[in-house]
Amino acid sequence: MTNKPLRIGFVALLVLSAACVVTAQDRGDRVVYKDTIVVAAGETRENIIAFGSDVVVEGTVKKTVLAIGGSITVSGTVGEAVVGIGSRIKLLPQAKIDGDLVMIGGSVAKEPGSSVGGDTVSIKVGDLTGKFFGQGFAGLFSLAFWPLLIILKLVNAFIWLLVAIVVAALFPRQVVFASGRIRRQFWPIFGTGFLALVIFTVFVAFAAVLCLVLIGIPILLSLVLAGMVVKIFGKVVIFFLIGESLAQAFNRKSVTPVGGALLGLFLLTLISFAPFLGFLVSTAMNILGWGVALRTKFGTHENWFQRGPHVHPAYPGTPAPPTPPAA
C-alpha cells in the first residue's frame, strides 16, 4: 500500500502534463480554475482536473479526477482514481471508483453503498504536523512521510514546467544570454546571488515586523512579488544552462531555449529526490539564479552597473559585453 500514493502521484502528474499539451476537445479532458465542473448523468469524460473548483461527477470519468482545493462529489463512475489535495471529497451511495481514492490535507466522506475498488489513502494535516513536531526531522524523513513529499515534489515540478515553457518561449534571447554569463562569471554571479538573498531576507523580516502597522503590508507584498520575479527568471536560466550542458554531453550542438529548460528541469527534479544532495543542489541553483537575474538585469546587460545596451553578435537584439576602446 505504501507504493500506491507514489503511483497515483505520477499518474496525476502525467494527467496534468497531457492536459496542458493536448486540447480538452481532443481528449475529452476538462481543466478548470475556480469554476464548477459537472459531469452530467450519461456524459463521459477522460480526465477532470480542477484548481480551487467544485467537481460533481454524476456520469462517467474514464481515468482520473484530480482536484487541488475545492470539493469532489461523486455519484457516478470513475475509472482509475480520485485524488484530492486540500479538497472535500464526498462519495454518494451510487458512487463507484474502480481505482484508488486519495485525500491529502482535506476530508473524505463515504456514504453507504459507495464502492472503491482500490486503496483508500487519507493523509490529514494534523497527522503530518504531529509526525513532524512529535518526531522532528526523523519524522519528516520517515518512510510514511515520503509519499506526500514525492507527490508535492511532482506538483512543484509541474508548476515549474509551465513556468519554464512560458519564460523560455517569451524571452529566449535573454535566457540564452544570461546562461552564457554564468559560464563566464560563475563566482561573481554566485557571490552576487548570495549577498542579494541575505539582503532580501533581512528586508522581508523587517517588512514582516512593519506588518504590525498598515504600512508594512504593501511593502511586504512588493518584496514578495519582486522576489518571485527574480526567482522565476533565474531558475529558468539555470534550467536552460543545465539542459544545454546535458545536451552537449550527448553531442547535441544546439538546443532550443524551451527544450533546454525542460531538459534541465527534468534533471534537477530527479536530483531533488535525493534528501541531502537535493537540498544542497537546490540551494546552490537558487543562489545562482538570483545572482544572474540581478547581475545581467534579467538577461539584458552584461552587468547591472554598466551603462548602455550592447548587441550580442550571436543573438541579435540581446546585450553583449562592451568592446574595449582601441589603444
Side-chain angles (χ1 to χ4, degrees):
M1 179 174 175
T2 303
N3 292 329
K4 282 289 185 178
L6 309 186
R7 180 172 62 82
I8 293 169
F10 280 105
V11 170
L13 181 65
L14 293 176
V15 170
L16 285 168
S17 302
C20 292
V21 177
V22 184
T23 61
Q25 291 78 8
D26 292 338
R27 285 279 309 275
D29 295 339
R30 187 79 188 276
V31 183
V32 173
Y33 173 71
K34 287 189 176 180
D35 197 359
T36 299
I37 306 174
V38 178
V39 181
E43 184 180 2
T44 300
R45 293 279 184 179
E46 287 286 328
N47 297 288
I48 297 295
I49 304 169
F51 300 88
S53 306
D54 294 326
V55 180
V56 179
V57 179
E58 300 172 349
T60 301
V61 177
K62 292 183 178 180
K63 295 184 179 179
T64 301
V65 176
L66 171 64
I68 301 177
S71 66
I72 304 174
T73 303
V74 182
S75 59
T77 302
V78 178
E80 290 188 357
V82 172
V83 182
I85 302 177
S87 305
R88 302 179 305 277
I89 303 176
K90 185 177 183 179
L91 304 184
L92 299 180
Q94 302 83 7
K96 179 183 179 183
I97 302 174
D98 295 334
D100 303 314
L101 172 63
V102 180
M103 183 275 292
I104 301 174
S107 62
V108 59
K110 297 191 291 184
E111 295 187 359
S114 61
S115 65
V116 179
D119 291 333
T120 298
V121 181
S122 178
I123 304 175
K124 297 181 180 180
V125 175
D127 297 337
L128 299 178
T129 54
K131 180 176 287 294
F132 177 72
F133 289 106
Q135 303 178 22
F137 285 100
L140 179 63
F141 292 106
S142 65
L143 293 178
F145 202 87
W146 264 99
L148 176 63
L149 290 179
I150 292 178
I151 292 176
L152 293 178
K153 283 181 179 294
L154 292 175
V155 173
N156 179 69
F158 170 74
I159 295 174
W160 277 110
L161 181 144
L162 297 180
V163 171
I165 291 175
V166 172
V167 174
L170 294 179
F171 308 102
R173 294 168 178 168
Q174 289 83 352
V175 169
V176 172
F177 174 74
S179 172
R181 292 302 96 194
I182 296 178
R183 297 180 185 276
R184 295 173 176 83
Q185 302 173 356
F186 180 89
W187 287 114
I189 288 175
F190 189 89
T192 301
F194 180 80
L195 181 61
L197 277 173
V198 171
I199 295 175
F200 179 78
T201 302
V202 172
F203 281 173
V204 168
F206 181 70
V209 174
L210 288 180
C211 283
L212 297 175
V213 294
L214 291 179
I215 190 175
I217 297 177
I219 295 176
L220 181 61
L221 292 177
S222 300
L223 285 173
V224 172
L225 179 60
M228 288 179 59
V229 172
V230 173
K231 181 175 181 177
I232 286 173
F233 179 81
K235 289 205 71 168
V236 173
V237 171
I238 297 299
F239 293 157
F240 174 75
L241 173 68
I242 294 176
E244 184 184 40
S245 301
L246 184 61
Q248 291 175 353
F250 286 92
N251 297 322
R252 287 289 301 272
K253 295 183 179 179
S254 63
V255 62
T256 64
V258 173
L262 295 184
L263 187 59
L265 170 62
F266 175 75
L267 181 59
L268 284 179
T269 300
L270 292 180
I271 296 175
S272 70
F273 285 102
F276 186 66
L277 177 63
F279 172 76
L280 289 180
V281 171
S282 177
T283 301
M285 296 302 102
N286 194 35
I287 293 174
L288 274 177
W290 272 72
V292 74
L294 295 177
R295 196 174 180 88
T296 66
K297 200 174 182 180
F298 298 97
T300 60
H301 282 73
E302 159 70 8
N303 191 306
W304 178 274
F305 302 102
Q306 289 182 343
R307 298 180 179 179
H310 304 277
V311 178
H312 194 295
Y315 302 98
T318 61
T323 302

